[in-house]
Amino acid sequence: MTTPIIRARHVAIIMDGNGRWAKKRHLPRVVGHQRGVEAVRKLVRSLKDSDLECLTLYAFSSENWRRPEDEVDDLMDLMRKFIRSDLEEFVENGVRLRIVGDYQALAPDIVDLLENALDRTSQGTRTVAVALNYGGQQEIARAARLAAEAGPVTAEAIESHLFTADLPPLDLLIRTSGEVRLSNFLLWQAAYAEMLFLDVLWPDFTPAHLADALDQFAVRERRYGGR
Ligand code: IPE
Ligand code: IPE
Ligand code: MG
């Protein structure tokens, strides 16, 4: 029997390995993060030639605040620069930006930039969701709290209050850098997602890696507990 080909609608990526990429080259960590942004830019550009509906990118976790202050500052500065430089291209390419995570807790000027970007891109037809100040456990706790305010706390009720409630179900979760863990990313959504752990450092990740991952996904057999 031939395995049916299935098309992924929603892929999420844990973009890991910027620090190691820089270290290998004896460069400051910030250069790794800069090259990481370049990889994001190329990937988002490549979406216009793909039929993927949604790409969710883990950019900053709730736990990344534990890093040294100057690294956090560098990451926030890169965020500001990226939104400023790429927003119009997002609009032109029909990209709808979404934020998952507690972004309101970021610096006020970043919140303003993000809200303007959400507004400007609201008519886009393919979604790029960026996980910012995001933690999966925090997301589930928040959703459970909201569900409890509205009625019985069922799985469906929790799901309806996740940041991803209106996005397609997660099909494939990719982590770069060789680490094999979720690091508090999309814990609920990963329940039946396929997983792919790649030995590629994030700055080296190209649209060809994504295309390859989608090809691998297409022939996986998903069971959802049935048979
Ligand atoms: C991922 O790269 C970027 C963020 C977490 C913001 P890292 O900075 O975690 O790189 P490694 O894991 O130290 O190589
Ligand atoms: C996960 O990577 C967070 C992001 C990619 C934004 P980390 O580098 O923070 O995860 P750990 O510390 O290796 O688990
Ligand atoms: Mg890391």
Side-chain angles (χ1 to χ4, degrees), residues 3-222:
T3 317
I5 299 290
I6 37 173
R7 184 177 71 83
R9 299 175 64 200
H10 183 178
V11 174
I13 309 183
I14 303 174
M15 310 185 288
D16 195 21
N18 295 349
R20 276 161 283 172
W21 185 94
K23 194 167 181 200
K24 256 177 47 182
R25 289 163 179 77
H26 308 285
L27 293 166
R29 283 184 76 86
V30 64
V31 180
H33 293 315
Q34 285 162 352
R35 297 297 289 265
V37 173
E38 276 302 310
V40 170
R41 178 173 288 126
K42 287 187 189 132
L43 196 62
V44 173
R45 271 183 193 152
S46 79
L47 292 180
K48 63 177 188 298
D49 306 314
S50 111
D51 54 10
L52 195 63
E53 290 169 47
C54 180
L55 178 68
T56 300
L57 300 171
Y58 203 8
F60 193 87
S61 75
S62 327
E63 290 73 36
N64 285 148
W65 295 109
R66 295 179 189 150
R67 295 191 179 202
E69 199 181 322
D70 54 343
E71 181 171 359
V72 171
D73 288 347
D74 286 342
L75 289 166
M76 295 299 154
D77 271 341
L78 283 169
M79 204 103 70
R80 291 184 176 92
K81 278 192 195 132
F82 181 61
I83 303 164
R84 288 203 182 99
S85 59
D86 285 54
L87 176 58
E88 288 315 311
E89 194 176 324
F90 274 32
V91 176
E92 278 161 31
N93 289 340
V95 168
R96 179 177 75 128
L97 182 71
R98 284 288 305 271
I99 308 293
V100 298
D102 184 15
Y103 74 89
Q104 313 268 5
L106 300 177
D109 72 299
I110 298 189
V111 176
D112 286 349
L113 279 170
L114 290 171
E115 286 182 342
N116 174 55
L118 293 172
D119 191 46
R120 287 278 294 132
T121 61
S122 62
Q123 300 304 312
T125 52
R126 74 187 78 237
T127 302
V128 172
V130 182
L132 282 178
N133 194 18
Y134 174 87
Q137 292 177 339
Q138 293 87 332
E139 178 189 36
I140 294 167
R142 171 182 173 275
R145 205 163 49 237
L146 293 170
E149 281 167 19
V153 184
T154 59
E156 290 73 21
I158 291 177
E159 191 151 87
S160 74
H161 290 287
L162 296 176
F163 294 119
T164 53
D166 60 340
L167 300 179
L170 182 63
D171 292 309
L172 174 64
L173 193 146
I174 301 171
R175 182 174 189 142
T176 60
S177 91
E179 305 298 344
V180 183
R181 56 175 172 264
L182 292 179
S183 300
N184 205 13
F185 191 44
L186 301 181
L187 300 179
W188 182 286
Q189 297 84 343
Y192 274 102
E194 297 290 318
M195 311 251 173
L196 187 61
F197 296 92
L198 296 177
D199 265 320
V200 176
L201 299 175
W202 176 252
D204 293 327
F205 189 91
T206 65
H209 288 107
L210 178 62
D212 191 50
L214 291 170
D215 286 348
Q216 288 186 47
F217 174 84
V219 295
R220 286 196 185 184
E221 186 194 353
R222 302 179 86 190

